Amino acid sequence: MTLGVLLKARRVGCVDLAIRFGADMLFEPGYEWPLADHSVQHIFLGDATATRSLQDQVMILRECRRVLVPGGTALLTEPQAAQSFAVMASTAELFGLVSIEPNAEFPGWKSASFAPVISPLVSILIPSSNPKYFIECLDSAIAQTYRPIEIIICDDCESDAISQLVRSRAHCADITYIKNPQRLRARKNFEKCLSLARGTYVKFLNDDDVLEPTCVATFVDAFQRVPGLVLATSHRWRIDADSYVIDDMPATQPVVAEDLIIDGVTLANAAIMHGLNFIGEPSTALFRRSDFDPRPHVEGISGSDETSASPFHFNGEPVRGAIDLAMWARLLVQGNAAFFQARLSRFRIHAEQAQARSDVVERSVVGIRGLQQRWIALGLFRRVPPSLFRCKPLLAEGANPDNLDWRFAPLLSLADPVTSPPRALKAWRDVRRHPFETP
């Protein structure tokens, strides 16, 4: 199926979409296109696309990413194509489209395409500094039922305690151990671990957290079965310093009642707008390493070495104090998530962790507020209230999720139990300007 989309001069509240194979289709800014996911090979964008507001461009490019088949193209074919490309390039890359530079015959973007990999390598990355819980953490990585895996440990501890623990397990798995010559602290140690990963997929594991044995296998299976997936995560246990399960806090309370595929933007929207990371800490999720490859037009916004080298930013701006939400936001605007009802990891609460310090909590609050402001500026909150997400069931192997219809469902721990999803959706979309929006 070849679709030609020409955004022309604005009419009364609408812009024409000229379809090369048939009659005109009207595009109303801010609304989804009536096209199935991964159903279109080519889209042709007119020059008027770049004259729309940033929020309209966001919606257009999101829809291009959604409806294009893997490797499909969105091309600029009108006289001002090079200028239009320059206006929209960073936004297109933000949503996972790969740039076709202006010196090509037709500048524009293509949808990411991933060839199937049999038994892909998974990198379990352990940025370590505290030896107290380290061996339980490492043993949980070694005990994963999935193979092949590599375990990469970047040791930021002031003593040699962690190196001794690693030596005691060196015969048990493919372990790469790096002792940092100078302390990097948490953020830069995470970055170093990621730079060393060789796997198709990556799983961070904090040195005080624990994985359930089937965690990696469950997540890799989801990626192998679901097109357009960028993140796999699950509920997690909360444990204390003695490894006993303790009561949930708001961020660990269950939010889904079944295994689901969730539209990435709606999942990130709920976490960011509530300022509550129910998606999980870095130890909780698994993602594709290449989804953190540099994006020149996005990283080029600030021009700083720190931004271009760091995965912990959103739309070219660093997110300090909330590196997990920064990672999830960066990923989830590029595709969808698999969210498993089972608890496949254990998040430890203890007095020595950084989150127990007031200065770290304050920095996290500032980081989340900054992320919220960027999210709002892009209009990513507008279509779905943060109490709902768009989802479909994650079915057994052999079922094609593209054949299933999307539906809206409430987050179990956050939604109003009285208001139905259709009513909540309509009420949210009927608001012309929310109180948190700037004029």
Side-chain angles (χ1 to χ4, degrees), residues 53-247:
S53 69
L54 174 61
Q55 293 190 2
D56 282 351
Q57 290 177 35
V58 164
M59 191 69 185
I60 292 165
L61 293 167
R62 273 185 59 197
E63 288 298 276
C64 287
R65 190 261 297 159
R66 180 183 67 81
V67 305
L68 285 172
V69 299
T73 58
L75 301 177
L76 296 157
T77 59
E78 294 196 313
Q80 304 299 313
Q83 296 91 318
S84 297
F85 177 90
V87 169
M88 297 189 293
S90 63
T91 304
E93 287 184 355
L94 174 68
F95 289 97
L97 295 171
V98 180
S99 292
I100 303 170
E101 294 294 344
N103 58 4
E105 181 182 5
F106 295 115
W109 304 273
K110 63 181 179 180
S111 179
S113 179
F114 300 101
V117 178
I118 298 174
S119 299
L121 177 66
V122 174
S123 300
I124 299 179
L125 310 180
I126 307 178
S128 59
S129 62
N130 185 352
K132 186 172 183 179
Y133 309 102
F134 177 81
I135 200 65
E136 185 178 0
C137 160
L138 178 57
D139 282 347
S140 77
I142 294 170
Q144 290 301 297
T145 60
Y146 180 84
R147 290 293 184 275
I149 62 170
E150 64 170 3
I151 299 171
I152 298 176
I153 301 161
C154 290
D155 182 0
D156 217 37
C157 182
E158 293 178 330
S159 73
D160 64 351
I162 288 176
S163 65
Q164 293 179 23
L165 294 171
V166 172
R167 279 197 294 271
S168 73
R169 299 294 192 271
H171 63 287
C172 297
D174 177 8
I175 299 176
T176 299
Y177 170 81
I178 306 292
K179 176 69 173 180
N180 298 331
Q182 295 181 327
R183 293 203 71 187
L184 296 178
R185 306 296 177 182
R187 184 187 184 95
K188 291 189 178 298
N189 207 21
F190 270 79
E191 293 171 3
K192 183 172 182 178
C193 279
L194 186 58
S195 72
L196 297 171
R198 297 181 296 115
T200 301
Y201 300 107
V202 165
K203 188 165 210 332
F204 279 113
L205 177 57
N206 291 338
D207 63 5
D208 50 1
D209 293 340
V210 181
L211 302 180
E212 300 296 326
T214 60
C215 180
V216 170
T218 301
F219 289 165
V220 170
D221 178 66
F223 269 93
Q224 300 289 75
R225 291 194 285 122
V226 181
L229 207 65
V230 295
L231 183 74
T233 190
S234 73
H235 295 140
R236 69 270 196 211
W237 299 105
R238 191 167 175 250
I239 59 175
D240 63 14
D242 297 316
S243 300
Y244 290 109
V245 173
I246 57 177
D247 291 341

Side-chain angles (χ1 to χ4, degrees), residues 57 92 112 130 196 254 304 330 349 357 432:
Q57 290 177 35
N130 185 352
L196 297 171
S304 71
R330 174 174 174 150
I349 303 296
R357 291 168 29 201
R432 294 184 62 85

Side-chain angles (χ1 to χ4, degrees), residues 304-367:
S304 71
D305 291 339
E306 177 187 10
T307 300
S308 60
S310 172
F312 309 122
H313 65 78
F314 179 70
N315 201 20
E317 295 292 333
V319 179
R320 299 191 178 279
I323 63 174
D324 39 18
L325 275 182
M327 288 195 296
W328 309 155
R330 174 174 174 150
L331 288 167
L332 290 169
V333 294
Q334 300 183 59
N336 301 324
F339 206 122
F340 288 87
Q341 180 186 15
R343 300 188 189 234
L344 297 176
S345 61
R346 298 179 179 236
F347 168 51
R348 192 183 304 274
I349 303 296
H350 58 94
E352 299 169 58
Q353 64 191 160
Q355 296 95 320
R357 291 168 29 201
S358 60
D359 62 315
V360 173
V361 172
E362 182 178 349
R363 189 161 60 247
S364 177
V365 170
V366 172

